[in-house]
Amino acid sequence: MAVYNPKSRKAEEFINDAEILETIRYAEENKNNIPLIDSILEKARPKKTPDGMHCAGLTHREASVLLACDIPEKVKEMYELAEEIKLAFYGNRIVMFAPLYLSNYCVNGCVYCPYHLKNKHIARKKLTQEEVRQEVIALQDMGHKRLAIEAGEDPVNNPIEYILECIKTIYSIKHKNGAIRRVNVNIAATTVENYRKLRDAGIGTYILFQETYHKKSYLELHPTGPKHDYDYHTEAMDRAMDGGIDDVGLGVLFGLELYKYEFAGLLMHAEHLEAVHGVGPHTISVPRVKRADDIDPEMFDNGLSDELFEKIIACIRIAVPYTGMIISTRESQAVREKALSLGISQISGASRTSVGGYTEEERPHDSEQFDVSDQRTLDEVVNWLMKLGYIPSFCTACYREGRTGDRFMSLCKNGQILNCCHPNALMTLTEYLTDYASEETKKIGFDLIEDELKKIPKEKVRKIAEENVKDIKESNRRDFRF
């Protein structure tokens, strides 16, 4: 029997079934242990030190106790703590991005995904480089600066060379004032050599969802294709880091397996990356199973209520305070609004999950990966965020300034990242408002920016940010970034 070892590079040891089951048992036994719960919450609370703000985070066992706890006043305390942690390290900024689907050709048999090989209903499509260009221009015309590219796994139709060519095309397109400044990549597990090629192509974060950490369920949900190999898939982030990619993004597809198991496994994976590579995941995504062509989420009996989903988000935020958290347009406006107060730091806007969807006037459904619940325009999402008191950020400066991996984490852990991210967010929001926003959104945004500039603590940084905001509004463009 495999022994739990977070420093091991073997999937069955750092995602250890016996340890997860024992964690769930321990959490259930202690879910009403108020002294223990209070001590866990106190450990997780942000604390000011001479070096700045620090946060201990939680082990997978400690976080699982919080997740199991259903004492109303303690759950309320968790939610308040999650928001406190988010504001302490990420402020009121919300990073904006959009997915770009390159190809839905796929050789895998994943039973929860409409791209599975046996689905004959879905229209198969792969973008040419000219079509990639037109999609990117459409996204630039909305105001997007950061993309997450997506493609099915198909060594013939979607080889690594195709992905690299698409990345090169995306970065080459300068349209009006638009430019995609960072491309994150969500493609299938691959080799160290291929990860090195992605790093050399200038990607931001490499994203790969585990789907489920429960090995037996994983094998049943992925009956055919290269993704059937649980170990190869689960160990992908180690190979990515070996290839020089120091920003990686984890995620599970909630609803495929029992949520307590997935929650513990996800945090164990984060602990493993920290133990082996010295830095945990840059982001954690929280997708839920959604309806799609040939896929009915009612097939899966582990679906989550909105209330339980929100609790999971809060507990992840408390457990990994320095990790960005992403929620997509899979979720409704109402769910996303609640999630923002519980620790989410990145959201997508105006997303289309079909190949070639952005150049179509009407939202195409024939090649969608899943139904989009929040179908508002980017302007509507930006307007909504600002009315809620958030700063929509289109910033990618950390990638371009080399603040990735352990360098980003060290700045985040001492609170200094706020001195970079806050002014950069305000400047990139000014760009968006000047170039793309409706008149109502401009008015709300410029008033917000004026108030937020005053809150920048360092006088020198504040003055530079004020000058740059003024220059952007007057169309005197400088690519200045902190």
Side-chain angles (χ1 to χ4, degrees), residues 172-199:
S172 74
I173 300 163
K174 306 295 184 285
H175 173 68
K176 298 179 181 177
N177 289 328
I180 300 303
R181 293 172 177 161
R182 191 52 48 192
V183 176
N184 297 336
V185 175
N186 184 357
I187 62 170
T190 187
T191 63
V192 172
E193 180 185 2
N194 285 343
Y195 286 126
R196 195 168 289 122
K197 290 176 181 178
L198 290 170
R199 178 206 62 190

Side-chain angles (χ1 to χ4, degrees), residues 89-90 93 95 391 393-404 407-408 410-412 414-428 453 456-458 461-462 464-465 480-482:
F89 296 99
Y90 284 89
R93 301 180 317 281
V95 172
I391 302 169
S393 174
F394 296 84
C395 179
T396 58
C398 283
Y399 295 111
R400 295 186 286 157
E401 294 296 315
R403 292 191 293 264
T404 59
R407 294 171 296 287
F408 174 85
S410 64
L411 288 168
C412 190
N414 65 22
Q416 293 305 306
I417 200 70
L418 290 170
N419 293 319
C420 306
C421 292
H422 196 71
N424 284 330
L426 296 175
M427 289 187 291
T428 58
L453 284 169
I456 296 175
K458 288 191 175 181
V461 173
R462 183 170 65 252
I464 293 172
F480 187 91
R481 54 188 182 266
F482 291 96

Side-chain angles (χ1 to χ4, degrees), residues 57 104 206 219 233 251 258 356 374 381 397 406 408 435 442 464 480:
N104 60 9
Y206 172 68
L219 297 176
H233 186 87
L258 296 176
D374 188 344
V381 173
D406 57 359
F408 174 85
D435 292 339
K442 282 182 183 179
I464 293 172
F480 187 91

Side-chain angles (χ1 to χ4, degrees), residues 407-451:
R407 294 171 296 287
F408 174 85
M409 286 297 174
S410 64
L411 288 168
C412 190
K413 288 178 179 180
N414 65 22
Q416 293 305 306
I417 200 70
L418 290 170
N419 293 319
C420 306
C421 292
H422 196 71
N424 284 330
L426 296 175
M427 289 187 291
T428 58
L429 177 56
T430 303
E431 284 184 314
Y432 173 81
L433 295 172
T434 302
D435 292 339
Y436 307 104
S438 65
E439 290 304 316
E440 181 196 354
T441 301
K442 282 182 183 179
K443 184 178 186 316
I444 296 169
F446 288 139
D447 287 345
L448 175 67
I449 289 168
E450 186 176 337
D451 290 340

Side-chain angles (χ1 to χ4, degrees), residues 376-394:
R376 292 173 295 169
T377 66
L378 182 58
D379 185 84
E380 289 170 331
V381 173
V382 169
N383 186 306
W384 165 69
L385 287 172
M386 294 190 300
K387 285 179 178 176
L388 293 173
Y390 297 106
I391 302 169
S393 174
F394 296 84

Side-chain angles (χ1 to χ4, degrees), residues 21-47:
L21 295 177
E22 173 59 23
T23 292
I24 295 170
R25 184 196 63 76
Y26 174 82
E28 188 64 24
E29 288 178 355
N30 287 281
K31 68 179 183 179
N32 296 316
N33 185 339
I34 292 180
L36 176 62
I37 291 164
D38 285 343
S39 69
I40 293 171
L41 291 171
E42 182 57 32
K43 175 188 175 182
R45 202 170 302 284
K47 296 174 177 65

